[in-house]
Amino acid sequence: MFADKCTYVWRNEYFVCDYVMQVADETMKKRLLHRAETSGRVDDNEETIVKRLKTFHNHTQPVIDYYSQQSKVCKVLLLRIASLF
């Protein structure tokens, strides 16, 4: 997932929220393994990537869920965007 700020208008009122781009774990794993081919990063390996995703799901996802319940998160589902690969 990626997060940033956005502003949107609804019924003539402006709202600022965080938006989260949702990407499937398998897609992120493939993207990072592809990055590893040229990045030179020693931590771009499958074991580390799985640990990163687990940390995200255990620590970051609950925060996203909390703010989503307050309508402070805009979620964007990314199935496949070429520029991410």
Side-chain angles (χ1 to χ4, degrees):
M1 295 219 185
F2 308 95
D4 206 344
K5 295 274 184 204
C6 66
T7 303
Y8 64 96
V9 180
W10 186 67
R11 295 187 180 181
N12 295 322
E13 292 189 43
Y14 286 88
F15 298 87
V16 176
C17 67
D18 289 315
Y19 69 88
V20 176
M21 292 180 251
Q22 295 181 296
V23 182
D25 286 358
E26 192 59 34
T27 301
M28 284 303 299
K29 190 184 326 180
K30 287 179 185 177
R31 179 188 174 276
L32 292 169
L33 289 173
H34 177 73
R35 180 179 77 175
E37 295 172 9
T38 58
S39 71
R41 290 179 54 154
V42 296
D43 62 341
D44 275 348
N45 60 68
E46 191 159 355
E47 180 182 349
T48 303
I49 292 166
V50 168
K51 287 180 184 179
R52 287 184 203 152
L53 290 169
K54 183 177 179 181
T55 299
F56 168 80
H57 289 295
N58 289 337
H59 298 281
T60 306
Q61 189 63 54
V63 175
I64 293 169
D65 294 342
Y66 172 81
Y67 285 106
S68 292
Q69 292 173 355
Q70 297 179 33
S71 299
K72 294 183 178 181
V73 173
C74 304
K75 294 182 181 179
V76 179
L77 178 60
L78 303 178
L79 298 176
R80 176 150 167 56
I81 295 182
S83 64
L84 293 177
F85 296 95

